Amino acid sequence: MENRKLRATPAARTLAKRLGVDLFNVTGTGYKGRIHRDDVAGFNYEDKIHVSPLAQKIADEHNIDLKGVVGTGYRNKIMKDDVLQLINDPEIISRFKLDDFGYPTIPVSTQTTKQTTVQQTPAAVKSQPAQVAAFDRETETVPMTQMRKIISKRMSESFFGAPTFIQTWEIDMTELLALRKKLINPIMEKTGKKLTVTDLISMAVVKTLLKHKYINSSLNKEGTELTFHNYVNLGMAVGMDDGLLVPVVKGADKMSLSEFVVAMKDLTERTFAKKLLPDEQSGSTFTISNLGMYGVDEFTAIINQPNSAILSVSSTQQRAVPRDGEIVIRPIMKISLTADHRVIDGLTGAKFMTDLKAALEDPLTLFV
């Protein structure tokens, strides 16, 4: 333990104890480095060494230190053959030339008649696909990371603690896509950043939220007080391999489109680099979860409490729709609003979605 004074709030100490976080590893954002609850909640541990069970077994039996070893498995996971390469004894290597369930990778009858078949020709390998598929596999059981534990707790609290309803609407993206095409070069010249469809959707959401105070509100944990926000701090859910983070664009309602693009790109880049500060992950008044880039047709997200609602954005797909008595092909996007029914009624949610649909289908109104 380091010989330095630890400054932490009682709430931070309580959360750290529950999550098993060593406070000496957490950087505080308070006065003189004082650690707050959000610092603990946003704390990310360094990546641990990932080892397959069989590789760990071999390393333990032969006192092999795996620290610093870069594996050949997914995301540098250390596999059986990575450990065997560290052993010079042919007998030991031969002993572990088994599948991950402890069976020989070469049939016993073959081993007793022809030991030379260890080195097989490509034709021989090709003739045994079922055998390779059956034996050459591993399983891995690992404890949940601190990030996943926090996500699990928050999602459970939101899902089981708030009665919700969901509304799904279809948006004709023709005009918004045309507007992006016109703005992409001017925005690039001004900011050096690429304007995305998500940027324009976000701006439409921000403008619409200012007209609907219940959608942009927060309910306290006790469910006794409602706070209306006269500003918009927009959270944007960003998924990564090891978890979900929600960077927040503070004061998004005061930003121009160019300013928003720069702010969003900066937060997103630092999110993937795991360089977000705890304050940049808190204080949202509304959140967007966008899976459109992955071709998702439709989904509904869980509310990022204490927000009262969250918007799920799906992919844009060419669909046949009726227009003026005719069937035409249009780029259609589905969006879903998940709302806390303690705060928002169905009519309130419908009014918000009606205005948002109008803004997305006639996006020039965003700049008037």
Side-chain angles (χ1 to χ4, degrees), residues 330-364:
R330 290 285 189 272
I332 301 298
M333 175 185 72
K334 289 184 180 181
I335 57 176
S336 298
L337 180 74
T338 305
D340 187 336
H341 217 327
R342 296 174 299 175
V343 179
I344 301 168
D345 294 325
L347 178 60
T348 305
K351 287 181 176 179
F352 169 76
M353 294 293 275
T354 297
D355 287 348
L356 179 58
K357 176 181 172 70
L360 292 170
E361 293 186 341
D362 187 12
L364 285 178

Side-chain angles (χ1 to χ4, degrees), residues 85-144:
Q85 288 181 0
L86 304 175
I87 303 175
N88 294 323
D89 191 332
E91 292 185 5
I92 295 176
I93 295 176
S94 175
R95 172 190 164 198
F96 283 102
K97 284 299 182 181
L98 308 172
D99 69 40
D100 301 327
F101 299 98
Y103 297 103
T105 56
I106 303 173
V108 175
S109 58
T110 304
Q111 289 181 346
T112 56
T113 56
K114 285 189 177 182
Q115 295 295 333
T116 56
T117 56
V118 172
Q119 293 185 349
Q120 303 178 44
T121 65
V125 173
K126 188 175 293 186
S127 67
Q128 301 176 14
Q131 178 180 313
V132 174
F135 294 117
D136 191 18
R137 60 182 65 173
E138 294 186 358
T139 60
E140 180 182 13
T141 301
V142 298
M144 290 180 70

